[in-house]
Amino acid sequence: MQTTLDSSFVNRLKQILNSRYGKGLQIRQLMDLTELGSEEVFTRGRDLHIPIRVNGSILGTAVVPSADDLNEEKRQGVAQLVRMALEPAMYKWYLDQKEANLVELNKAQLDLDNVRLFGEETLPSLDEILNDSSGDLNEGPASELISHLIHLEGKSENTNKKVALQLHELTSRWAFVPFKDIKGQLHSSQDIAKMGAMTIFVENVENLNPAEQELLMDYIAEERSSEEPLIITSSLANLAELGKSSLASNLVDELSVNCFEVDRAPLTTQGLKEVLELFFMKDTPLDA
């Protein structure tokens, strides 16, 4: 199995940075960890460096050249935008790498009790990944969803997030962001709609307070276009347990309509992709 990082989101991110801030973007492998210090971002010369972290591991840095003319607010805005787009894509790639390692170990019939499955082996540089055209890239129009609210039920937060990222990738959305990171900016359904074609991931949906529940219900109550956010919720609890939680009954009803039982999904990336397309994508008309 060969796993590659989809480079289409990088081009979209470059366009947004250029139009919003007049800045470019480079992605480089991070060679010296000592340069990080304790800061989330750092400068070198005139350039802004934004580390890309995946599960605590640093795969590289996003570099915004000549960013010294940006004030602190704009610097933070650039950093947030870059992380929203790059970190989930890197996380998905990282999980695919681990899956590929597991497949190879199973083929070799090794005693897995004594094997560290996903060790810190040398990874290719980001430049190598992004320049690799042998993998699947997002080509053609994005798949259209049957709903803009999808609920994932599974016993592993890690697996739930992997499925959420697969759905995000299938619909060719430009950014994947946890609801907790942006909820302070959202005060109405219109605020959500203005976020554009992104994925908002609501982990542990039962923890939403009444105001947050009402906000999501207001958003999904109206017909939404492909240029507006997809809401993906998840929970380790099943629907019956959610019904006994503090969630409003009408929200639980909405979650049950498009609920996906993650633990019953295929383990392979291709199998999962096919099942998700079957469950949540509208049929594409056949050519005459």
Side-chain angles (χ1 to χ4, degrees):
M1 176 189 297
Q2 183 174 2
T3 55
T4 57
L5 178 67
D6 186 344
S7 60
S8 60
F9 69 92
V10 177
N11 293 328
R12 173 59 175 154
L13 178 58
K14 287 180 177 179
Q15 293 172 2
I16 294 172
L17 287 174
N18 182 59
S19 62
R20 187 174 298 181
Y21 299 100
K23 300 299 178 183
L25 176 70
Q26 300 170 2
I27 301 179
R28 300 174 184 169
Q29 188 172 23
L30 186 64
M31 302 304 295
D32 183 5
L33 297 182
T34 61
E35 65 190 0
L36 284 176
S38 60
E39 296 182 330
E40 291 295 315
V41 300
F42 62 94
T43 57
R44 177 176 289 172
R46 299 182 60 196
D47 301 341
L48 178 67
H49 290 239
I50 306 165
I52 306 302
R53 291 180 170 87
V54 177
N55 267 14
S57 299
I58 300 174
L59 295 186
T61 53
V63 180
V64 181
S66 303
D68 56 324
D69 60 339
L70 297 177
N71 60 30
E72 182 61 24
E73 182 180 359
K74 289 183 178 180
R75 282 162 53 93
Q76 292 301 320
V78 168
Q80 182 183 38
L81 184 65
V82 167
R83 287 200 182 99
M84 282 167 55
L86 292 183
E87 287 185 350
M90 295 295 179
Y91 185 71
K92 171 65 168 59
W93 170 73
Y94 178 81
L95 292 176
D96 287 344
Q97 289 280 347
K98 294 199 294 186
E99 181 179 313
N101 290 345
L102 180 58
V103 169
E104 294 304 315
L105 286 171
N106 284 335
K107 287 180 181 178
Q109 296 182 335
L110 297 177
D111 181 2
L112 299 184
D113 291 336
N114 298 314
V115 174
R116 186 180 179 189
L117 293 183
F118 311 130
E120 299 300 322
E121 68 277 6
T122 302
L123 297 174
S125 72
L126 295 181
D127 286 337
E128 291 173 338
I129 298 165
L130 293 172
N131 290 330
D132 187 345
S133 61
S134 61
D136 292 332
L137 300 178
N138 287 337
E139 297 178 353
S143 301
E144 190 173 358
L145 290 160
I146 62 172
S147 172
H148 272 61
L149 173 67
I150 294 173
H151 177 65
L152 305 178
E153 174 189 310
K155 297 179 181 178
S156 164
E157 291 183 351
N158 188 63
T159 306
N160 289 347
K161 188 169 185 179
K162 180 176 182 179
V163 174
L165 286 164
Q166 181 74 69
L167 276 167
H168 165 75
E169 182 178 299
L170 285 175
T171 53
S172 302
R173 292 173 178 271
W174 74 271
F176 181 103
V177 62
F179 176 69
K180 63 182 181 181
D181 289 354
I182 59 170
K183 62 183 182 181
Q185 307 170 31
L186 306 176
H187 306 290
S188 68
S189 61
Q190 189 60 26
D191 288 341
I192 298 178
K194 289 178 180 178
M195 300 295 287
M198 71 186 315
T199 301
I200 300 176
F201 183 48
V202 185
E203 198 166 19
N204 299 315
V205 66
E206 64 271 20
N207 293 335
L208 293 176
N209 63 40
E212 292 165 351
Q213 295 177 43
E214 184 178 358
L215 176 65
L216 293 186
M217 284 298 301
D218 287 346
Y219 176 73
I220 64 177
E222 300 180 19
E223 188 74 20
R224 296 294 169 184
S225 76
S226 60
E227 296 304 313
E228 294 174 311
L230 162 66
I231 308 293
I232 300 180
T233 60
S234 75
S235 178
L236 304 183
N238 59 37
L239 290 172
E241 293 168 332
L242 290 181
K244 299 176 183 178
S245 71
S246 60
L247 289 182
S249 59
N250 59 344
L251 178 55
V252 175
D253 289 343
E254 289 293 337
L255 298 179
S256 66
V257 171
N258 290 303
C259 176
F260 184 74
E261 296 183 44
V262 171
D263 297 326
R264 296 187 179 184
L267 296 178
T268 65
T269 299
Q270 183 59 34
L272 176 60
K273 178 178 182 292
E274 292 172 354
V275 169
L276 292 175
E277 287 179 333
L278 179 64
F279 271 71
F280 298 118
M281 304 300 165
K282 293 182 179 179
D283 292 334
T284 302
L286 297 176
D287 294 333

